[in-house]
Amino acid sequence: MKKQTRRGGRWYAPLLLAVSLAGISAPAAADNPKDPFEGFNRVMFQVNEGIDEVVKPVAKGYDEAAPLPVKAAVGNFFGNLYDAWTALNNLLQGKPGAAGSDAGRVLINTVLGIGGAFDVASEMGLAKHSEDFGQTLAVWGVDDGPFFFWPIIGPRTTRDTFGFAVDSWTDMVWGLDAVPLRNSLGGIRFIDVRASMLPADKVVDEAAIDKYSYIRDAYLQHRQSQIRDGATQLPSYEDDDE
Amino acid sequence: MKSLFARLASFCIGLSLVAAAPVVAAELAPDALVKRVTEEVLTIVRADRELQNGNTRKAIELVDTKVLPHFDFMRMTRLAVGRDWKKATPEQQKQLADEFRKLLVHTYANSVTAYRDQKIVYKPFKAADSDSDVIVRTEVVQPGSKPIELDYALEKGADGWKVFDVIVGGISLVTNYRETFRQEVSASGVDGLIKMLVDKNRKLEADTGKPAAKK
């Protein structure tokens, strides 16, 4: 758990307590079985929107200042570190073929892609996958459980919250012993991830009538698709066609 | 020089397709239709700085003329509203569809202006001749991140294939509204939902008018 608190859990702990109390007393229109703690989650969502007021301008600055090749290299670098974890998860999900391909990607991109800065493997036809421990748990038969909206971390089902804890525990960046390097890399990655979501911001802001539920339901749909590995499936339209 | 030539070439191809469009549209297979419309729109966006700089009004115009004729909004709205659709009178259904259409156009227009240099990959298309509902799968490829799946659900209608859902990364843009709509109908009825959509569109319309929206 040490690594978890390192992530910055300490400073927002009192805040967490305060808003959770507020959340529990807030009137909730909680009739959605997937989201029994909607009142609490909505408060957390607002907290995150507040945090984003600070993070977003930084991400925007990075996005405008860094040339595309630099941004691509940064994304590739962290992606390459993550591919190793994807490989292991694919193995745990009983997909040795995909696991082998992911391990090959790490090898190729680390060596030929200069430490992961270039995604040579994709150009060679080894498609990038994205697996995490939450997906592995899902494949093993663990259900979603209630939905949560966490500060900084964002939306997660109960299962994916546990999955995320394991992902972070094994995370190479957070496992570094050199603290300044670890913090810099962690910070850059955080901003890079945020920057990659900038184009979607306006789309979501304008598409959503109720931003909280729009993001929640998009997250839940997206996770289902990831667990199925994006296999073609018409979304469930069961309520209508007759 | 080469890329300029390539761009010019694709522009010409785009033009010829536009010219040929009305004749061919009805007979096009769903995957060919998606590809044609996508390329057509991208060709225009690539050549237009105003669109790239986020001119939403212009993007809406583009979506209105090029994309919307291939969408079935009645079905989209029915899917988004779900079970409560039957509670709406035909008049209310029409109002719902009109408002939902405006909302989706806006969303689509915003995605168009968010487009940078991503490549679109068309995945192999599988469907039996007898299928009336199909999925056409594409992928948005961008450097430095995992490709995003962008799928279109189409239905065979009297006048050719019509899109009834757009699915981004597994997220159905239509059914994603279901929970919001359902809660609104249960709180304030079908008229409440119509009002919610009208208000939303009014707000979007007002924001589009502001020059600040141009980034």
Side-chain angles (χ1 to χ4, degrees), chain A residues 206-208 213 222 230 237 240, chain B residues 110 137 165 169 177-178 180 200:
Chain A
E206 300 213 330
S213 80
H222 179 61
Y237 299 121
D240 25 78
Chain B
N110 279 325
R137 309 189 71 203
D165 199 359
Y177 283 104
R178 247 189 213 171
T180 308
K200 171 77 183 172

Side-chain angles (χ1 to χ4, degrees), chain A residues 29-33 38 42 60 64 68 71-76 128-130 192 196 199-200 202-210 213-219 221-223 225-226 228-242, chain B residues 54 56 75 78-79 82-83 86 103 106-107 110-111 113-114 117-118 126 133-135 137 143-147 149 151 153-154 164-165 167-183 186 196-197 200 204 207-208 213 215:
Chain A
D31 60 344
N32 184 338
E38 187 172 336
R42 278 184 187 272
K60 251 187 165 150
E64 279 159 22
L68 187 65
K71 280 185 279 186
V74 170
N76 286 337
K128 187 172 175 66
H129 305 127
S130 183
D192 174 60
S196 71
K202 195 183 173 203
V203 178
V204 172
D205 277 339
E206 300 213 330
I209 298 173
D210 172 359
S213 80
Y214 194 85
I215 289 180
R216 175 195 62 204
D217 296 336
Y219 168 78
Q221 284 199 62
H222 179 61
R223 283 303 281 176
S225 154
Q226 283 186 313
R228 293 192 311 264
D229 288 333
T232 311
Q233 189 179 325
L234 282 163
S236 74
Y237 299 121
E238 77 282 358
D239 283 346
D240 25 78
D241 288 351
E242 74 240 52
Chain B
T56 309
R75 176 143 194 221
R78 199 176 82 218
L79 290 173
R83 203 167 297 157
K86 277 169 262 164
L103 180 59
H106 218 100
T107 310
N110 279 325
S111 333
T113 58
D117 298 302
Q118 297 93 336
K126 289 168 290 192
D133 279 11
V134 298
I135 286 202
R137 309 189 71 203
S145 51
K146 190 174 182 284
E149 301 126 34
D151 303 338
L154 295 98
F164 67 91
D165 199 359
I167 306 145
V168 187
I171 303 160
S172 149
L173 293 189
V174 168
T175 61
N176 209 51
Y177 283 104
R178 247 189 213 171
E179 199 44 41
T180 308
F181 287 6
R182 187 187 65 78
Q183 283 191 349
S186 82
M196 184 169 85
L197 286 166
K200 171 77 183 172
L204 285 176
D207 290 346
T208 313
K215 185 185 166 187

Side-chain angles (χ1 to χ4, degrees), chain A residues 77-91:
Chain A
F77 173 76
F78 291 114
N80 187 44
L81 294 184
Y82 194 81
D83 278 349
W85 182 233
T86 293
L88 188 60
N89 276 291
N90 262 329
L91 199 62

